[in-house]
Each structure stands twice: as structure tokens, then as C-alpha cells.
Amino acid sequence: MLTLQKDYPLKSLNTFGFDTVAENFIEIESRDRLVALVNYCQSNHFPLLVLGGGSNLILSDQIPGVVARMQIKGVEVISEQGDQLQLKVAAGENWHDIVVYAMSQGFFGLENLALIPGTVGAAPMQNIGAYGVELKDRVAWVDVLDTQTHQLLSLSSFDCQFSYRDSVFKSVEPGRYIITDVVFNLTRDATQLNLEYLALKDTCESLAKGLSITPYHVFDAVCQLRRQKLPDPAVIGNVGSFFKNPRVCVAEYERLKAEFPALVGFADGDGYKLAAGWLIEACGWKGKQLNAVGVYEKQALVLVNRGKGDRQQIETLAEQIRESVQQRFGVLLEVEPRFYP
Ligand code: FAD
Ligand code: NAP
């Protein structure tokens, strides 16, 4: 039996803290209930929003149809060979708790992705990434419910079409697949570290005090850096980076670098990735406030809700930022989180 709760408040279930109400709300704790819910929504022509931690969503005041909070739980090692192992994690598990759990078991590979808010099931959506590691680097496969065929399927990492903050789930076939589990390739080998990011390497070196850097140092360093620079959503509403880092071709990068020598950019494939935060800060937005919303004073890529902000205020601020970056640098910023509906 599916019991939907009417007019359910979502203020505490989205990290912007928007005062939003779902027409119908339900918590989903099993795959069977998920299948039943999809059937129910399709028969009644109800739109369905699968909600994880609400940390990458910009919600309107009223959400029509059904909001289903993903609560399927479970963690299991499903294979082991030498140092390598596969960890299967259900979609409703909290991402950071799973990183902590993996570290506690001596399973390494997720440490650069510590402290990212949200659920495991949402992580493949935008191929979460931080400090030089992306989810795609650690995913073996993803189990999903295909809402078109009503089958439970496994999609290989290749099928997921992961790319920079994107996947088949986010932009190719949005809404088609509901993720039920993610299987990670992890290792017990503590020497395979990614220290590409300078701030991470420096912090690890200072934590290791001359000894070898371990995945535990990486984990601690990532947590320390993130706590210094990012607002805690429990205190200040935000959804992390509001814009993606724009990609430009080599000629465009060279033109910009000649005109703005302080520009921050990194070689990326056959072009360059520009630090969107630098572009926004250079336009004078850092720390600016517009009504109840604003640009975080320690990282210009993060927009914040300091009280009674709503989607409209955020959209207005984001549009002004996009326009000024485009006018000054000729670069178009793309929004990273999802607007719903
Ligand atoms: P939600 O916001 O609940 O949902 C996001 C999208 O995924 C929605 O479209 C939703 O419908 C869909 N979805 C959720 N669960 C499922 C499911 N099981 N099946 C199908 N679709 C589903 N992101 C990064 O990549 N790197 C970072 O370093 C990072 N840092 C952040 C720091 C802060 C302070 C904050 C607030 C956000 C940050 N984010 C970061 C963004 C966000 O945390 C991630 O995108 C996270 O994976 C979203 O998880 P969620 O459970 O909150 O998803
Ligand atoms: P940062 O380390 O100050 O870096 C600023 C920018 O430079 C980032 O955009 C990062 O790109 C890029 N960068 C830095 N060193 C790099 C290197 N060695 N190679 C390639 N690119 C490099 O950024 P931050 O704001 O403190 O965030 C730290 C990490 O957490 C970043 O990876 C960031 O993506 C991630 N994060 C993501 C979100 C989100 O919501 N998506 C929110 C907070 C933090 P990348 O962004 O591509 O890594």
C-alpha cells in the first residue's frame, strides 16, 4: 500500500532551505515500493521527483505530483580479488557516511570525494567530482529502474555516459532511470593517491608531518579544506557550485589570458577549463547580496540563501552574474544544479 502525504513541507529537505511544499510526498524504502510508485504515478499522470538530499535542486514554491524521498539502504562487499574489491551501496545511503564507512574498513578510492552532501543514488546524476577525482573513476556499474520498460537493469560505467558534471541520467535521458544501487571499484592499496590539486597536496604534507601520505591524510585534508571554504547548508542555505567551470578552446584561452593575466584555467583535453569562481569574483560579485540571496564571501561560485530567499530571487541573481561574466569575458556560464519543475 502506498500512502502519500498531502501538502508536505520540503524546507528541511532541500539545502537551499526554500519554503517549498510537495503536493504529495512519500518515502521509498524498497525496490518493490519504487516499482509500485512508478506504476501509480504513470497510471495517474503524476509527475514524479526522486529526492535525495536536495543538495543539487532549486525548487519552486509548489511541487506538483509526487516527491519520493529515496530511502533504500544497504552496503555490501560483493567481490574481492587481491587488493581490489567491489562495494555495492543502495541509493538512499548518505554519501559522506559511505566514504567514512569505506575508510573505516580500509577500502580506498573515495577519499577525495569526502564531505559532498547528498545520497549515493544522486551521485551518478552529475558524476560528482572534487579534488581531481570523479565518480566515474570509481564506478563499476549502476543499478536502475527503467521507468519506460519497468525493468530493473544494470548500466555499465560506459552506458552511464559520464562526463564533466553530467551523465545519461542528467541530460541525455533525464527522468528515465531511477538509480537503486551503485557498485564501486575500490582498493585496499593505500598508495594509490590523487594529489593533483595543489591545496590538497600541501595540506596532506602538513598533516603527514614528513611521513608517507595515506588515504586518511587525504580524507582529513579534503574535510579541512572544504570546511574552511564552503558554507555548511545546515547554517547557510546553498547547493554548492552554482555554475559549471566553462570549457574554452586553446585560442580563446590564449586571448583571455593575454587580456587577463590572472585568469585561472587548466589544460583539459583539447582545450582549457576556466575556474568559474574566478570569473565571477573578477566581475565584483564575491560577497554581494540581492534581497535574501547572495554570493558567498569565501567562494564566489556558491550562491547562498540567507533567509527568506526563493527560486525567483536566485534566478534573478544568477542571470545578472551570467550577464556580467558574458559581457566582461565573452564566456557563457551554465547552471550546474537542477531547477524543478
Ligand atoms: P538531490 O539534490 O536530491 O537530487 C539531484 C538530482 O538527482 C535531482 O534531479 C534528483 O531527481 C536526482 N536524483 C536523486 N536521487 C536519485 C536517484 N536515486 N535516482 C535518480 N535520480 C535521482 N557536487 C559535486 O559534484 N562535487 C562537490 O564537491 C560538491 N560539493 C557540494 C558542496 C555543498 C556544500 C553542496 C550543498 C553541494 C555540493 N555538491 C557537489 C552538489 C551535490 O551535493 C551533489 O550533486 C549531490 O550528488 C546531490 O545529491 P542529493 O542526494 O542531494 O541529490
Ligand atoms: P579550488 O581547489 O580552489 O579550485 C578552483 C578551480 O580550479 C576549481 O574549479 C577546480 O576545478 C580547478 N582546479 C584547481 N586545481 C586544479 C588542478 N590541479 N587541475 C585541474 N583543475 C584544478 O576549488 P574549491 O572551490 O576549493 O573546490 C575544491 C574542489 O571541490 C573542486 O574540485 C570543486 O569542483 C569541488 N567542489 C564542487 C562543488 C559542486 O557543487 N560541484 C562544490 C564545492 C566544491 P574543478 O571544479 O573541476 O575541480
Side-chain angles (χ1 to χ4, degrees):
M1 225 315 250
L2 295 167
T3 311
L4 299 175
Q5 300 186 64
K6 288 254 164 231
D7 301 325
Y8 194 90
L10 299 178
K11 189 173 165 65
S12 64
L13 298 182
N14 74 99
T15 62
F16 248 141
F18 289 166
D19 222 339
T20 304
V21 174
E23 189 181 359
N24 295 285
F25 178 84
I26 189 166
E27 301 215 326
I28 290 296
E29 283 128 5
S30 74
R31 291 156 194 79
D32 290 347
R33 272 167 72 83
L34 181 63
V35 173
L37 179 69
V38 167
N39 287 334
Y40 174 83
C41 288
Q42 290 181 350
S43 329
N44 290 284
H45 305 286
F46 282 156
L48 170 63
L49 172 70
V50 178
L51 181 69
S55 65
N56 215 24
L57 276 169
I58 299 156
L59 300 174
S60 301
D61 294 353
Q62 301 283 331
I63 312 294
V66 176
V67 173
R69 185 171 179 222
M70 176 54 76
Q71 289 282 287
I72 305 175
K73 305 280 185 176
V75 191
E76 185 190 0
V77 174
I78 56 167
S79 77
E80 282 194 271
Q81 197 168 31
D83 281 343
Q84 310 306 310
L85 63 107
Q86 291 187 318
L87 188 71
K88 183 172 181 173
V89 185
E93 293 285 352
N94 174 274
W95 175 265
H96 180 70
D97 289 352
I98 289 301
V99 177
V100 171
Y101 169 79
M103 301 297 294
S104 74
Q105 301 298 302
F107 305 159
F108 306 126
L110 300 179
E111 50 280 356
N112 293 52
L113 302 174
L115 268 195
I116 298 180
T119 53
V120 168
M125 286 296 293
Q126 68 156 8
N127 177 29
I128 57 167
Y131 294 103
V133 173
E134 290 183 339
L135 185 91
K136 72 173 170 53
D137 305 324
R138 304 290 182 257
V139 164
W141 72 84
V142 174
D143 287 342
V144 298
L145 170 66
D146 182 342
T147 61
Q148 280 180 15
T149 63
H150 294 208
Q151 281 182 308
L152 291 162
L153 309 170
S154 294
L155 300 183
S156 69
S157 185
F158 179 81
D159 295 333
C160 293
Q161 300 182 44
F162 290 125
S163 60
Y164 168 66
R165 302 290 192 270
D166 205 357
S167 70
V168 70
F169 312 111
K170 187 171 179 181
S171 64
V172 185
E173 300 205 64
R176 174 167 177 182
Y177 301 109
I178 300 177
I179 295 162
T180 59
D181 303 87
V182 181
V183 178
F184 298 96
N185 288 322
L186 302 179
T187 179
R188 291 181 192 275
D189 178 355
T191 63
Q192 294 179 26
L193 306 176
N194 184 323
L195 300 175
E196 273 167 41
Y197 280 41
L198 194 59
L200 180 60
K201 186 167 175 283
D202 289 349
T203 309
C204 285
E205 278 168 359
S206 93
L207 290 174
K209 297 190 175 81
L211 300 174
S212 305
I213 297 172
T214 70
Y216 298 103
H217 292 123
V218 178
F219 173 88
D220 288 343
V222 167
C223 292
Q224 187 176 312
L225 286 166
R226 293 182 70 103
R227 287 193 174 111
Q228 278 163 11
K229 211 165 168 186
L230 293 170
D232 176 354
V235 182
I236 304 175
N238 76 95
V239 289
S241 304
F242 200 87
F243 300 100
K244 293 184 181 183
N245 290 319
R247 268 36 187 184
V248 294
C249 65
V250 176
E252 181 65 356
Y253 174 76
E254 284 170 353
R255 177 190 75 76
L256 286 165
K257 191 75 183 165
E259 196 178 343
F260 306 98
L263 178 79
V264 178
F266 296 85
D268 184 43
D270 57 1
Y272 275 81
K273 167 181 77 177
L274 304 180
W278 186 89
L279 299 172
I280 297 167
E281 188 176 344
C283 289
W285 282 104
K286 202 174 190 179
K288 283 270 162 68
Q289 195 71 18
L290 194 74
N291 301 313
V293 299
V295 179
Y296 191 51
E297 57 277 10
K298 294 185 195 162
Q299 166 53 292
L301 195 46
V302 178
L303 303 192
V304 293
N305 172 23
R306 294 192 183 277
K308 291 198 179 306
D310 59 18
R311 169 173 169 163
Q312 206 181 343
Q313 289 179 28
I314 280 288
E315 275 181 303
T316 305
L317 175 63
E319 199 39 47
Q320 291 186 13
I321 293 171
R322 269 162 59 94
E323 270 172 28
S324 62
V325 167
Q326 189 171 19
Q327 270 175 18
R328 179 123 194 248
F329 300 105
V331 172
L332 197 61
L333 293 180
E334 192 187 330
V335 170
E336 186 179 292
R338 175 183 180 194
F339 286 90
Y340 188 87

